[in-house]
Structures are given as structure tokens and as C-alpha cells.
Amino acid sequence: MAVERTLSIIKPDAVAKNIIGEIYSRFERAGLKIVAARMLHLSREQAEAFYAVHKERPFFKDLVDFMISGPVMVQALEGENAVARHREIMGATDPKQAEPGTIRADFADSIDENAVHGSDAVETATQEVNFFFGPDELCARTR
Ligand code: UDP
């Protein structure tokens, strides 16, 4: 298994619920290390650019409105098989379909407001990490 990096976003609903620490604990228990992190309030332009792949989908405008409704916590996570491992602990997009004990099963209210984002493949993970973080902001966790 390879060491990978993936992008995580704790979305405005979960930030509002004050569960950043709870979600970070789950990353750490899963063997994922935070190698960069930032809180920010996305602009409409940033949210549209980040989710550009969905721009033709019917939910696009609502998704962008939701993502700019409050601050988000963005982090790059590193670990063995990090992309798939992170998706596993997030759970399915629709919390009603998510496995018990996953972040979305435990904390998401709906398919629209579903607490967290995670890159879905190694290639998109690289693009998404680079969307938010420059090379100087990614820390080596070798100690
Ligand atoms: N989404 C939505 N309605 C839908 C499907 C998706 O609002 O019917 C939102 C939801 O916030 C989801 C995001 O769009 O997390 C991206 O969708 P994707 O299918 O990529 O799911 P994810 O990779 O986040 O599980």
C-alpha cells in the first residue's frame, strides 16, 4: 500500500455543530495524519471552482450556497491508502445509506448537508490538495 494524501473539508454544517475535534479524532484513530489545515469562509467563486465537476447537476447552486453559508475547515490528510481509508470513515454521500459509525451516519443531516468532503481518487486528491495548499504549507510528518 502506498502513502497517499487526500483532501478533507469539514463543511459548514459540521463546523456549526462544533465537532471539528470529534472529526479530527476519527482521522487520527484511522491512522490519517493532518499535514496542513486552514479554516476559511469560501467565496462563491472558490466554491464554484472547487465543485466545477458538478456544474451541470441540478443540485449545483444549492451545493454552492451551502458551502458558503459559514466557515469550513480544510485539511490535507496523509497515510497508507489515505484516499480510500478517508472515504471509508466518511461513509456514503447520503447519510441514510452510510454505514453505522461513519462520520456521515453519525453527524450528517441529509445528502445536501453531509458534514464532510473527501477526494474520491488519487488524481483528484492531488488536484484538490493543490487547490487549497501550496507546497510550502504541506508539512512532513516523519518524526
Ligand atoms: N450533493 C447534493 N445532492 C445530491 C448529490 C450530492 O447536494 O443529490 C452534494 C453533497 O454535498 C455531496 C456533493 O454534492 O457531498 C458532491 O457530490 P458527490 O456525488 O461527489 O459526493 P461525495 O463525493 O461528496 O460523497
Side-chain angles (χ1 to χ4, degrees), residues 65-140:
D65 285 344
F66 163 58
M67 289 300 291
I68 66 174
S69 66
V72 295
M73 194 77 204
V74 184
Q75 39 285 320
L77 306 176
E78 187 176 271
E80 293 280 344
N81 214 14
V83 174
R85 185 82 191 98
H86 181 222
R87 295 286 297 189
E88 225 171 76
I89 63 170
M90 285 168 53
T93 309
D94 181 353
K96 293 202 284 289
Q97 313 289 328
E99 290 291 325
T102 60
I103 295 169
R104 281 167 164 168
D106 290 347
F107 303 121
D109 294 325
S110 67
I111 191 169
D112 319 80
E113 304 210 351
N114 60 3
V116 283
H117 167 84
S119 310
D120 63 359
V122 174
E123 304 74 50
T124 44
T126 304
Q127 290 164 15
E128 291 183 356
V129 167
N130 294 341
F131 185 94
F132 286 105
F133 300 108
D136 294 350
E137 294 174 292
L138 295 158
C139 295

Side-chain angles (χ1 to χ4, degrees), residues 31-49:
L32 298 169
K33 294 177 179 174
I34 296 165
V35 295
R38 184 189 311 136
M39 181 176 271
L40 76 163
H41 197 137
L42 291 169
S43 67
R44 182 170 294 279
E45 292 67 34
Q46 281 175 311
E48 286 176 351

